[in-house]
Amino acid sequence: MPNNYKILVSVLALALCTAVFFLDDSTGIVRWVTLAAGPLMAGAIWVLPEAKSKEIRKEVANRR
């Protein structure tokens, strides 16, 4: 995924989780979980490798 798409998805995830945190009427741990989910999702986009279809096809072919 290109970096400009990663930036866009990261900003959207952080904005959505922040909005849910402030607009949610519930109290307790649910609000804090939503606030923590944003940075986790944004970080996962940058840290975890992207699956490539050619590599997956090779692995599946080797298992047969």
Side-chain angles (χ1 to χ4, degrees):
M1 182 182 314
N3 285 340
N4 54 353
Y5 290 147
K6 286 183 184 181
I7 292 170
L8 178 66
V9 171
S10 298
V11 169
L12 289 175
L14 293 172
L16 179 66
C17 290
T18 305
V20 169
F21 176 77
F22 286 113
L23 296 176
D24 191 13
D25 291 338
S26 66
T27 57
I29 196 164
V30 175
R31 291 183 68 197
W32 295 103
V33 169
T34 58
L35 189 63
L40 287 175
M41 288 187 290
I45 291 171
W46 291 94
V47 173
L48 298 177
E50 186 174 349
K52 309 233 181 204
S53 62
K54 291 181 183 179
E55 293 174 8
I56 293 172
R57 288 183 192 142
K58 286 180 185 177
E59 287 183 25
V60 171
N62 291 337
R63 291 181 188 172
R64 291 183 185 171

